[in-house]
Amino acid sequence: TTCFEKSEGHAFCRPTCALGAPDEAPPWDIEADLKPWTCRIIDPAQGGEAAAAPAASTEPPAHKGKPSMYCFAVALVRGNEPELLRRQLASSTGVFGCDTYSIFSERVMVIGRGPRGLVSTTEIGGPMCGVKENTADFLRAYGKLIAAGFHTFHDWTIKVDPDTLLLAHRLRSKLEVKPIDASAKAVFFRNCAKYNSLQGPLEVLSQAAAVKFFDSLDKCKSDKEINQKGEDWFVGHCLEAIGVEGWEDFDLIDDRYCTGRDPQEQCREDSPAFHPLKTTEGYTKCLSHATATGGERL
């Protein structure tokens, strides 16, 4: 954990910290008084002085892999997702294994220290929805994503849910052998055999598909058939409506909601991604099993 300043003279140690005041909080929550946090970091090495919280971490890296991957996530500032993100940062998994990443949340949230300094999220406003009807949250995130433009110069754009374990190097290896010019061919992957659909935990779009999708948001928002359910319904049906080709690859993610696999066996495969993992304990255990199966060291 890291110790964060709430207000002058008051600090608390916790996994992450969201700047400003919450829109709402349950009575037992540390934010129940609805007062703002500065999220300045109290560093014992500096004699307890508070350091300023960082801006959002969306800077491109010094180099790109082949093929290059831009990954993004949309996360809640309360519940299990902040701790999962901190665990992913520590293990360089999830979006943190990609060439460039963005994380969006209702307030700027400080996640922790990474190789290039403090890591924090991009604010999209809220309150965010913690249930399936979450398309509006993602549409706000898309606005910030489009402004940053990282999807326009990476081969692949990948949305990763916070409760998904992504081993980016495995995904890169699979994408490298696909017979696709990602900058020219608009392709997405249907990743769930049960529904023959694009499922939200891992959404993989070629560069051409990502550009076409984000350029077509207004058209898809105005279509009641597309904009009626959750984010993955919106994305999948929008991509089909604008003519992006859907390829089947049911080995990109081991999603228990699709496979029905026993949780004890799920993470013993060589899949690039696993879902759902709702606790840091479960995430850590899955990571250990998955990398042991592949003979990998992170």
Side-chain angles (χ1 to χ4, degrees), residues 11-147:
F12 298 87
C13 297
R14 54 193 309 198
T16 63
C17 182
L19 279 73
D23 294 293
E24 56 187 6
W28 59 84
D29 194 279
I30 196 172
E31 296 188 335
D33 60 4
L34 303 185
K35 293 183 178 179
W37 288 69
T38 69
C39 289
R40 298 170 69 196
I41 295 174
I42 309 300
D43 189 351
Q46 302 296 324
E49 291 295 321
S57 305
T58 53
E59 299 83 0
H63 65 280
K64 296 189 290 185
K66 185 178 180 181
S68 63
M69 301 190 305
Y70 166 58
C71 297
F72 73 95
V74 176
L76 300 170
V77 298
R78 284 193 298 277
N80 63 326
E81 294 184 356
E83 289 194 60
L84 286 169
L85 289 172
R86 189 175 176 98
R87 180 67 186 91
Q88 291 161 21
L89 175 61
S91 58
S92 297
T93 56
V95 300
F96 302 108
C98 302
D99 298 290
T100 305
Y101 64 84
S102 301
I103 306 172
F104 304 97
S105 58
E106 61 186 83
R107 292 179 284 151
V108 175
M109 177 170 61
V110 183
I111 297 173
R113 297 187 186 277
R116 289 180 287 162
L118 289 170
V119 174
S120 59
T121 65
T122 298
E123 179 181 9
I124 61 170
M128 285 173 55
C129 179
V131 294
K132 293 181 179 179
E133 288 72 27
N134 58 356
T135 303
D137 298 333
F138 278 83
L139 289 173
R140 296 197 303 276
Y142 295 158
K144 298 294 182 77
L145 184 155
I146 292 167

Side-chain angles (χ1 to χ4, degrees), residues 9-285:
H10 297 85
F12 298 87
C13 297
R14 54 193 309 198
T16 63
C17 182
L19 279 73
D23 294 293
E24 56 187 6
W28 59 84
D29 194 279
I30 196 172
E31 296 188 335
D33 60 4
L34 303 185
K35 293 183 178 179
W37 288 69
T38 69
C39 289
R40 298 170 69 196
I41 295 174
I42 309 300
D43 189 351
Q46 302 296 324
E49 291 295 321
S57 305
T58 53
E59 299 83 0
H63 65 280
K64 296 189 290 185
K66 185 178 180 181
S68 63
M69 301 190 305
Y70 166 58
C71 297
F72 73 95
V74 176
L76 300 170
V77 298
R78 284 193 298 277
N80 63 326
E81 294 184 356
E83 289 194 60
L84 286 169
L85 289 172
R86 189 175 176 98
R87 180 67 186 91
Q88 291 161 21
L89 175 61
S91 58
S92 297
T93 56
V95 300
F96 302 108
C98 302
D99 298 290
T100 305
Y101 64 84
S102 301
I103 306 172
F104 304 97
S105 58
E106 61 186 83
R107 292 179 284 151
V108 175
M109 177 170 61
V110 183
I111 297 173
R113 297 187 186 277
R116 289 180 287 162
L118 289 170
V119 174
S120 59
T121 65
T122 298
E123 179 181 9
I124 61 170
M128 285 173 55
C129 179
V131 294
K132 293 181 179 179
E133 288 72 27
N134 58 356
T135 303
D137 298 333
F138 278 83
L139 289 173
R140 296 197 303 276
Y142 295 158
K144 298 294 182 77
L145 184 155
I146 292 167
F150 295 129
H151 66 290
T152 65
F153 59 82
H154 283 286
D155 297 316
W156 297 92
T157 291
I158 300 134
K159 177 257 190 173
V160 188
D161 276 352
D163 62 346
T164 297
L165 167 56
L166 170 65
L167 298 172
H169 62 286
R170 290 187 184 179
L171 180 58
R172 195 191 306 272
S173 295
K174 284 185 173 291
L175 294 175
E176 186 176 11
V177 299
K178 300 286 186 187
I180 299 171
D181 179 352
S183 65
K185 189 170 184 62
V187 172
F188 75 96
F189 292 106
R190 295 187 177 94
N191 54 17
C192 180
K194 183 177 180 179
Y195 304 110
N196 192 32
S197 64
L198 169 71
Q199 294 296 102
L202 188 75
E203 298 169 0
V204 182
L205 282 67
S206 68
Q207 181 186 113
V211 170
K212 192 170 186 178
F213 171 70
F214 291 120
D215 284 349
S216 304
L217 286 180
D218 287 340
K219 175 182 178 180
C220 292
K221 284 191 292 185
S222 64
D223 188 316
K224 293 183 179 179
E225 178 64 25
I226 294 173
N227 194 11
Q228 63 166 314
K229 295 186 180 180
E231 171 270 341
D232 53 358
W233 174 282
F234 178 89
V235 174
H237 285 74
C238 180
L239 289 168
E240 292 175 351
I242 62 178
V244 175
E245 189 173 339
W247 288 21
E248 294 180 356
D249 192 332
F250 304 134
D251 294 325
L252 291 179
I253 182 169
D254 188 343
D255 185 352
R256 193 160 70 247
Y257 296 150
C258 289
T259 65
R261 192 188 301 276
D262 186 320
Q264 299 300 318
E265 298 298 324
Q266 181 185 19
C267 299
R268 300 183 185 278
E269 304 293 332
D270 60 356
S271 172
F274 304 90
H275 177 267
L277 299 161
K278 300 293 187 182
T279 67
T280 54
E281 293 80 8
Y283 188 95
T284 301
K285 186 174 182 180

